[in-house]
Amino acid sequence: IIYLNEGWVPSSGGQLRLYPFPNDPIDVEPTAGKLVLFSSRNMLHRVLPSSRERYCITLWLSKAARENQIGKPLRPPLKEGSALNPVLENLEFRRLLAKAVYAQEWADSLVESHPDNEGRQLALQKHWKDVNIIKFVFRHILPRLEELKRSKGKGLVWFS
């Protein structure tokens, strides 16, 4: 994303919020000349409501599923006390867990970004259905991730 907004002030809103889960969210001001690069597939993100129009150039690159992922079923740890690091190192698990941990913000984004119609209602229903499935599958580690979110990552050791 390349932003084109001269004279943008933070009070206008419109920030890009990135969720580099399990780290804290990051807000990016849409100021002119700013370049932001991230994987939209692997980084939960949204645009916060804006009180004025904002302009940017967006380039989307897509690629078929990685060859090493094709045909391999996702098998999250199913035992209580499972280590978090192997789970968080898996991009697919991290993407799903971010959706569950930030479920309300994701739903708020749908409401703020789309008109109140049947399509938005269906998107919200699907979202909450997906979240419930994710919470069930990862039920043994989600409470630890919620605590990690509240503690702002204290106690998470990426490398030992």
Side-chain angles (χ1 to χ4, degrees), residues 1 12 30 37 43 57 60 73 80 85-88 96 101 105 114 133 136 139 145 147 150-151:
I1 303 172
S12 295
L37 303 171
M43 175 74 67
I57 298 171
W60 297 82
E80 211 162 327
N85 287 21
V87 176
L88 294 176
L96 293 169
V101 170
E105 284 197 46
H114 301 283
I133 291 168
F136 177 77
R139 65 190 172 280
L145 291 173
E147 179 57 35
R150 284 189 293 278
S151 70

Side-chain angles (χ1 to χ4, degrees), residues 2 18 20-21 36 50 65 67 99 107 110-111 144 147 151:
I2 300 173
L18 301 171
F21 185 78
V36 183
S50 176
E67 293 76 24
K99 186 173 184 174
L110 291 171
V111 169
R144 290 168 45 209
E147 179 57 35
S151 70

Side-chain angles (χ1 to χ4, degrees), residues 56-80:
C56 64
I57 298 171
T58 303
L59 175 66
W60 297 82
L61 302 173
S62 67
K63 181 180 176 186
R66 284 175 277 162
E67 293 76 24
N68 64 354
Q69 296 282 333
I70 296 173
K72 290 187 177 181
L74 295 175
R75 297 194 194 287
L78 299 177
K79 294 185 262 183
E80 211 162 327

Side-chain angles (χ1 to χ4, degrees), residues 4-68:
L4 309 171
N5 306 297
E6 295 288 343
W8 193 268
V9 292
S11 61
S12 295
Q15 295 83 355
L16 171 66
R17 179 163 289 166
L18 301 171
Y19 297 88
F21 185 78
N23 298 315
D24 290 338
I26 298 168
D27 288 346
V28 179
E29 296 291 333
T31 54
K34 187 170 287 180
L35 171 66
V36 183
L37 303 171
F38 65 97
S39 169
S40 61
R41 174 164 169 60
N42 296 318
M43 175 74 67
L44 181 63
H45 62 283
R46 67 178 286 206
V47 174
L48 298 177
S50 176
S51 61
R52 62 181 260 210
E53 288 196 20
R54 51 192 285 287
Y55 299 96
C56 64
I57 298 171
T58 303
L59 175 66
W60 297 82
L61 302 173
S62 67
K63 181 180 176 186
R66 284 175 277 162
E67 293 76 24
N68 64 354

